[in-house]
Amino acid sequence: MQRLADSCNSKNPSCGGFLSCWFGMRGFTQVELIVVIVIVGVLALAVIPRFSGDSGFEARAFRDSVVAGLRYAQKSAVAARRTTCATFSAAPARVDFRISNGNGAVDCVQGLPLIGPDNRQLQVTAANMVAFVALPADVVFDGAGRPLSASVFSVSGLDASLMVTVEAETGYVH
């Protein structure tokens, strides 16, 4: 007991904070525990949504990957002078790219998977809960890089200014 009294009289108590000197006990006070719980709660509110995938980055990344894939398919059509196709599927949101076997083909039914720049089949798959707002029609580029028809579609979670557009005459994808 004498040691506790000596440590309370000194400028730096040994342990347990200043209140433990007055009450003769060790541990955390209720105020300290509540402050820690509040800090942990605030940190959890700020950090957990970052890991849940609801930040919008997945939707933007999927949209950008689809645009890049469509541009690659158009350039491949021009380079090989063959028809390339992009086929959209809903669950999970995915785009598969194919190239026709011959010049002048109307579609890619008789074609092969389009090989991407990484020497693998070109395919774009969405992560988590990302989806197309409405399932778009297939995009088909002829041997000159022109699409058979214009196409406009969007990805869920993005505003209207980020819609994917394939221009009718030029095939410009943006």
Side-chain angles (χ1 to χ4, degrees):
M1 194 64 153
Q2 181 62 31
R3 191 172 64 108
L4 180 63
D6 290 342
S7 69
C8 288
N9 292 332
S10 72
K11 290 184 179 179
N12 296 321
S14 59
C15 63
F18 290 100
L19 294 178
S20 66
C21 293
W22 292 329
F23 297 112
M25 62 182 131
R26 295 178 184 213
F28 298 105
T29 65
Q30 187 175 12
V31 172
E32 291 170 334
L33 290 174
I34 290 173
V35 167
V36 168
I37 290 171
V38 167
I39 290 172
V40 168
V42 168
L43 286 174
L45 287 174
V47 172
I48 289 175
R50 303 242 184 230
F51 293 109
S52 68
D54 295 337
S55 62
F57 289 113
E58 290 84 6
R60 181 62 191 250
F62 177 65
R63 180 230 181 251
D64 291 346
S65 295
V66 169
V67 168
L70 288 170
R71 288 178 180 164
Y72 184 81
Q74 181 190 27
K75 292 176 190 296
S76 297
V78 172
R81 296 183 186 199
R82 296 190 303 184
T83 303
T84 58
C85 305
T87 305
F88 299 87
S89 57
R94 188 177 74 210
V95 185
D96 293 305
F97 297 91
R98 297 182 63 80
I99 189 164
S100 67
N101 287 337
N103 188 10
V106 183
D107 57 25
C108 300
V109 174
Q110 300 297 321
L112 300 169
L114 181 62
I115 303 301
D118 58 354
N119 289 327
R120 295 187 315 191
Q121 178 180 347
L122 185 59
Q123 183 181 67
V124 179
T125 305
N128 295 335
M129 303 299 290
V130 178
F132 295 110
V133 173
L135 194 62
D138 293 351
V139 175
V140 179
F141 293 104
D142 65 9
R146 293 182 306 255
L148 295 183
S149 63
S151 182
V152 177
F153 58 91
S154 60
V155 175
S156 64
L158 297 177
D159 59 19
S161 65
L162 293 173
M163 294 180 73
V164 177
T165 304
V166 179
E167 300 292 338
E169 190 60 35
T170 61
Y172 177 63
V173 181
H174 57 96

